[in-house]
Amino acid sequence: MCDICTRMFPPLGRLCVLLLPVATLGSFPLHFLHAQHRVAINEIMYAPVSPEPEWIELFNPDSSLRLDMTGWRLQVGSKTVTLPKSLLAAGRFVVLTKDSAKLRQLRPGAYALVQLALPTLRNTGDAIVFTDSTSVLNDSVPYQPAWGGKSGHSLERIDASKPGWDKTNWSTSSSSTGATPGAPNGVNSSGVPPLAMVINEVMFAPIKPEPEWIEILNTTKDTLDIGGWQILVGHDSPKSIPVSSLLVPPDSLMILTVSDSVLAEASGVSRSRIIPVPLGSLSNSGSQIALQDLRGNTIDSMSYDGSWIPNNGISIERIDPIRPGYDASNWKACEDASRSTILRPNSVRILPHDLAVVNVETTDSTITATIINVGRDSARASPLVVIREGLDTLAVIVKRIPPRDSIRSSIPMSPSFFGMIDALVFLADPLDERHTNDTIRTTVSIDIPADSLIINEIMVEPLPGSCEWIELYNPSSRSIAINSLTLETGQAVLHSFNVSDTLLILPRSFALLAADSILFAANPALRNSTGIVLFGTTTLQLSNDSSNSILRNADMTIIDSVNYHSSWHTTPQTDRTGISLERVAWNKASNDPRNWKSSSDPSGATPLAMNSTGRFADTNRSGIFAASFSPNPFSPDGDGFEDESTLTIESGEDLSYAIRVRLYDTHGRIVRTLADAGTFFRGSEVLFDGKNDRGQMLAPGLYTALIELSSQNPIRLLSKVIGVAIAGKRK
C-alpha cells in the first residue's frame, strides 16, 4: 500500500490500484490532503431504505461566491461521473442522485437536485473523490460503516471546514427523518446542532439613543448555556459572550448589545434579558453575522443588505427559525407598527397556517391568482374570491397546497361589463392566521365598443346659476364603468376632461358629465343622484353655435361623437337658455340633425331621465340592478377600522320596490336576514355588522347574499346573488 493510501484510506486496507486508476492518482498533487476544498462532501446516503435512491449532498461553505461546477468529476471507487451544468450558490447545498423525482417525492423540500448516473455507494464502505474540471482535488471521503450511517439514516459531516477523511468528523444523522438533504446537518462536535440557537432579529440602523442589537432565539426544547460563545460581525474580531453561566430556556429570546442599560430604557424591556457584548459595528449598508459555540462551530450565520429596510429605525426579522439564516429570502423588514419586535414574536414569522396571494394577472375574460403556502402546515381547500366593485362576486375553490408550494388559480369572468373595473382578489380561509397577505387589488379592463355608450342629451346654454352638462346613455346589455373615459369638447381646439370617478352605468341607464356642483342649484332634484360626474370647472367649452363632443377610451379610440349645431334645435323660441338638445333614437346616427330635437319638457331638459321626445325602450326591462358590499372584505373585530360593511342597491329607474336580503353560509344555511319587506326608490343601503340573527359574531369566511326586489305596478320580481367576505382579526 502506498503512503498516500496509508494516510488517506487506513480503514479500508485496500490497494490504491483498486481505489483509483493509476493515471488519475498520478494527476493529484501530493499535498492534496491538505487542500482547501471549495465544495464539501457534506452528507452521504449510502444505505437508504427502498424505494429511496442513494445520494450525496455537496455544500458550498463560501458565504459570497457562487460556484460553477459544470464538468467537475465525482469518483466512487473505480467509477467516475461528470457533473452536468451545475451552479452552487453561496452557502447553499445541492444533492446528487440517480432519481431526482423519486427523492423529491420521498424527501420533499425546495433544495437543489442534480440527476446523474451516480455510481453505487457500497454499504461496506467506499472512497469518494471529488475533483474540479481541471482534475484538481476538491474533497475526499473514504467512508466506512463504523463512521456512521445505517439503514435509512445518512452519514453527516460534523464540520465542513475540517477534513473529510477524518472519521471523527462524521456521524449518523440525528434528524427524526433520518437525513437532512438540502439543509444544515443535525450534528456537530460540541453536541449542539446547527440552528439550535439562531439569529432572530437585527437592528442595524437604530435611531438614537437606541443602540444596535442582535436578538437570538433558542429553537430547541432544552436549556442552552451560551456562556463563552462568540458573535462575529463583518471582519471584526470575534466578541465573546460572558463566560459566567448564561442559560437560555427553550423557545426563549435574548438580546446582545453594547449598551444594555440604554437599550433597556429605550425599548422598555427587562435588562435581565439583555446581554452586554462589545459588538462590532453593524454597518447600515450590510454585513455578515455569525454565532459560534465554544468549539468554534458555526451554529448560525446570516448576511444582510442595507436595502432590506425602507427607513432607519426598522429591524430585520427572520421568517423561519429552522431555515438557514444565510438564505436572504428568510429575512424581511419588520411589519409591526412599533418598527421592531424586540423580545416578542417576529411580525413576519412563519405561522402554521398562512396562505398568501402574491400575484394577479387579468384578461378581459379571466382573473388568475398565484397563491403560495408560506405557512408551516399543508393548507386545506379554501375559496378564492374575486369581488368586482358594483358587479357580481366570483369564487372558486383552491385545492390543498403543501408548505412552500404554490398554485395558479383562474376564475373565468362572464361578459357583464365594459370599461375598467376595480377588483379585489381575496382568499377567504377561516383558518388563515395572517390576513395582511390575503388580498390584492387589481383592475380588469375591456374597451367600451363604439356606440355602446352614447351622447344622449347636451345642455349648451344653461340657465344662470347652473352649468353645462352632457348626458350619457347605456343602450347595451352590460354595465359600463366610465372611470377611464375622456370627454373632448370644442371646435378648432379640443379640450380634454378625464373621468376619474368610479361610476357604473347600468344597462339602459343614464349618467351626467357636468362642469361643476353649481348644477344642483338649478336642479336640486339631482342632488341625491349617484350617476353624476363633476369636473370642477366653470365650463365644458361648449359653444352655443356649434361644437364637438367626443367620448374616448383610455387608448383614445372613439366610443361616440357628436358635432352639434345650433340649427338642430326645433323649439320656436329664439332664447334657448335652459333648453337642452335631446337625442331622438339611440340607435340612429349621432351626427344626423334629424336625430336631435329641442327638449319639450316643461323644465327645459331631462337630465338622468327619459328624453321628452324620442323612441327609447323603457329602462330596466331586462331586470338588471346593481348591488355591492363595501368594504368587502371587512373585519368586524372591534378595532374601529372596517368593522361594518354597507350593502348598496341601485335599480336605476323610477320605480318603488320591496326588498328582501338573506345571507347564507357556505353550507347553504340562512345565517342572517338583513332586510325583509322594506321598500326603496331607485336605491337603498343596508348595514351588515358581521353578526347572525342571534347577535353572535359570524366566523371569518365567504357568505352569499340573496337579494330579491319585487314591485306590484308593474309586476316585476328581480333577484341577484353576490358575495361578502368576513376577514379575521388583523395581526
Side-chain angles (χ1 to χ4, degrees):
M1 183 180 294
C2 68
D3 180 59
I4 293 177
C5 288
T6 302
R7 288 183 289 140
M8 183 172 179
F9 309 126
L12 297 182
R14 291 188 285 137
L15 295 177
C16 64
V17 68
L18 298 177
L19 296 173
L20 298 170
V22 174
T24 303
L25 181 62
S27 67
F28 291 148
L30 292 181
H31 62 276
F32 72 96
L33 289 178
H34 307 289
Q36 294 296 315
H37 54 258
R38 288 179 287 166
V39 176
I41 299 170
N42 198 55
E43 187 173 2
I44 306 168
M45 177 60 83
Y46 66 83
V49 174
S50 182
E52 181 178 2
E54 297 175 341
W55 50 267
I56 296 173
E57 178 193 76
L58 305 177
F59 172 58
N60 177 5
D62 195 299
S63 62
S64 59
L65 180 64
R66 184 179 69 165
L67 292 174
D68 184 351
M69 300 190 302
T70 304
W72 288 31
R73 289 185 286 276
L74 185 76
Q75 181 173 331
V76 180
S78 61
K79 296 183 179 179
T80 302
V81 62
T82 301
L83 270 65
K85 183 175 178 60
S86 305
L87 297 176
L88 183 52
R92 292 299 185 93
F93 304 87
V94 65
V95 177
L96 313 180
T97 185
K98 283 183 179 179
D99 192 340
S100 58
K102 178 62 68 176
L103 181 57
R104 182 84 74 189
Q105 177 186 354
L106 296 172
R107 295 190 181 275
Y111 55 90
L113 277 169
V114 172
Q115 182 166 302
L116 75 176
L118 183 70
T120 300
L121 302 170
R122 293 190 293 186
N123 291 8
T124 56
D126 224 326
I128 303 174
V129 180
F130 191 36
T131 60
D132 67 15
S133 57
T134 63
S135 297
V136 172
L137 179 67
N138 180 77
D139 197 16
S140 60
V141 179
Y143 72 89
Q144 283 284 291
W147 291 19
K150 55 184 179 180
S151 181
H153 288 257
S154 68
L155 177 64
E156 290 187 340
R157 193 173 190 144
I158 294 172
D159 191 337
S161 66
K162 295 180 179 179
W165 46 262
D166 182 355
K167 66 180 180 180
T168 64
N169 197 28
W170 292 87
S171 179
T172 301
S173 174
S174 60
S175 171
S176 60
T177 62
T180 57
N185 292 344
V187 297
N188 63 39
S189 57
S190 66
V192 179
L195 304 184
M197 184 72 68
V198 299
I199 301 161
N200 193 58
E201 186 174 3
V202 180
M203 176 62 81
F204 62 82
I207 297 175
K208 292 182 177 180
E210 182 180 13
E212 298 171 341
W213 50 266
I214 298 171
E215 182 184 76
I216 56 176
L217 167 68
N218 179 358
T219 64
T220 73
K221 297 185 181 301
D222 301 316
T223 296
L224 297 179
D225 184 352
I226 62 172
W229 287 25
Q230 293 184 321
I231 190 82
L232 291 80
V233 176
H235 299 291
D236 293 345
S237 59
K239 302 299 188 296
S240 295
I241 295 172
V243 179
S244 57
S245 180
L246 186 57
L247 303 180
V248 182
D251 196 30
S252 293
L253 300 163
M254 297 292 285
I255 298 294
L256 308 179
T257 188
V258 173
S259 305
D260 55 331
S261 59
V262 176
L263 180 59
E265 183 177 353
S267 61
V269 301
S270 172
R271 192 170 175 179
S272 65
R273 297 179 66 186
I274 303 176
I275 306 170
V277 178
L279 297 176
S281 176
L282 298 173
S283 172
N284 286 13
S285 61
S287 188
Q288 300 85 37
I289 304 174
L291 183 65
Q292 295 182 342
D293 66 8
L294 288 171
R295 296 287 300 274
N297 297 304
T298 299
I299 305 302
D300 190 29
S301 64
M302 60 90 67
S303 297
Y304 67 88
D305 189 289
S307 64
W308 291 2
I309 60 172
N311 300 294
N312 286 357
I314 299 174
S315 69
I316 54 171
E317 298 180 334
R318 194 182 192 119
I319 297 172
D320 190 346
I322 67 173
R323 282 175 52 204
Y326 52 73
D327 184 351
S329 67
N330 200 24
W331 292 87
K332 197 174 181 182
C334 176
E335 296 178 351
D336 192 84
S338 61
R339 301 159 70 90
S340 74
T341 54
I342 184 169
L343 295 179
R344 293 187 287 124
N346 289 351
S347 63
V348 301
R349 69 192 184 282
I350 190 170
L351 298 170
H353 196 90
D354 186 10
L355 293 178
V357 182
V358 296
N359 184 56
V360 172
E361 301 169 7
T362 64
T363 68
D364 57 3
S365 59
T366 306
I367 292 181
T368 302
T370 301
I371 304 163
I372 295 180
N373 182 1
V374 295
R376 198 181 299 281
D377 299 337
S378 182
R380 68 179 181 85
S382 304
L384 176 68
V385 182
V386 176
I387 299 168
R388 300 178 299 169
E389 294 186 357
L391 299 175
D392 293 348
T393 297
L394 311 172
V396 296
I397 298 299
V398 175
K399 64 181 182 180
R400 184 179 298 273
I401 310 176
R404 301 188 70 183
D405 203 352
S406 65
I407 63 168
R408 284 167 53 86
S409 183
S410 296
I411 300 181
M413 294 190 300
S414 58
S416 58
F417 76 97
F418 293 123
M420 186 169 69
I421 294 291
D422 290 330
L424 184 72
V425 181
F426 173 71
L427 199 60
D429 185 351
L431 297 180
D432 198 274
E433 296 178 85
R434 179 178 285 124
H435 296 286
T436 54
N437 56 9
D438 290 346
T439 61
I440 289 183
R441 283 199 171 273
T442 187
T443 57
V444 184
S445 183
I446 305 175
D447 276 353
I448 304 171
D451 299 325
S452 60
L453 183 64
I454 61 170
I455 298 171
N456 187 58
E457 188 174 0
I458 305 173
M459 176 57 75
V460 178
E461 301 179 60
L463 292 168
S466 187
C467 65
E468 300 163 340
W469 50 261
I470 293 176
E471 181 191 72
L472 308 181
Y473 175 66
N474 175 10
S476 76
S477 60
R478 301 191 189 188
S479 297
I480 297 180
I482 65 171
N483 54 320
S484 61
L485 294 189
T486 296
L487 171 67
E488 291 183 342
T489 60
Q491 193 60 45
V493 177
L494 292 178
H495 303 269
S496 295
F497 301 90
N498 296 316
V499 179
S500 58
D501 297 46
T502 301
L503 180 59
L504 199 66
I505 309 177
L506 300 179
R508 299 169 182 82
S509 296
F510 305 92
L512 208 64
L513 308 182
D516 194 55
S517 59
I518 196 174
L519 167 78
F520 302 130
N523 302 272
L526 298 178
R527 189 173 298 276
N528 295 321
S529 300
T530 57
I532 299 175
V533 174
L534 303 175
F535 291 116
T537 184
T538 57
T539 176
L540 293 183
Q541 305 293 334
L542 300 174
S543 168
N544 292 355
D545 182 43
S546 65
S547 185
N548 285 296
S549 298
I550 307 171
L551 284 180
R552 296 185 184 271
N553 280 301
D555 63 359
M556 301 309 290
T557 54
I558 294 178
I559 302 167
D560 191 26
S561 66
V562 175
N563 186 7
Y564 72 85
H565 194 273
S566 58
S567 61
W568 293 7
H569 271 290
T570 56
T571 178
Q573 300 175 228
T574 56
D575 182 6
R576 295 157 182 169
T577 303
I579 299 176
S580 68
L581 271 173
E582 293 183 342
R583 193 176 187 127
V584 176
W586 65 265
N587 56 353
K588 301 296 183 181
S590 296
N591 284 293
D592 184 350
R594 295 167 298 179
N595 198 28
W596 292 87
K597 291 184 178 180
S598 301
S599 175
S600 59
D601 191 269
S603 66
T606 56
L608 296 182
M610 294 297 298
N611 289 351
S612 59
T613 176
R615 296 187 297 276
F616 282 75
D618 184 23
T619 62
N620 213 18
R621 286 190 183 276
S622 61
I624 297 175
F625 65 94
S628 62
F629 282 94
S630 180
N632 192 0
F634 72 109
S635 54
D637 52 16
D639 65 354
F641 179 72
E642 296 185 347
D643 286 330
E644 298 175 330
S645 184
T646 300
L647 171 62
T648 301
I649 305 170
E650 296 178 305
S651 70
E653 57 181 333
D654 295 330
L655 188 62
S656 180
Y657 280 104
I659 177 175
R660 182 167 66 170
V661 182
R662 289 173 289 179
L663 204 66
Y664 296 80
D665 63 13
T666 54
H667 299 287
R669 299 171 298 201
I670 297 178
V671 295
R672 178 73 180 271
T673 300
L674 292 175
D676 192 11
T679 60
F680 81 96
F681 180 75
R682 294 185 66 88
S684 180
E685 292 185 348
V686 180
L687 195 65
F688 177 37
D689 58 5
K691 297 178 180 178
N692 62 21
D693 282 328
R694 296 188 299 276
Q696 300 167 323
M697 193 61 66
L698 292 168
L702 178 66
Y703 294 86
T704 301
L706 172 61
I707 305 166
E708 297 173 299
L709 307 182
S710 60
S711 96
Q712 296 300 317
N713 187 22
I715 296 176
R716 187 176 294 172
L717 178 63
L718 312 179
S719 66
K720 182 184 288 287
V721 174
I722 66 173
V724 59
I726 298 178
K729 185 175 179 63
R730 299 174 182 271
K731 296 187 178 182

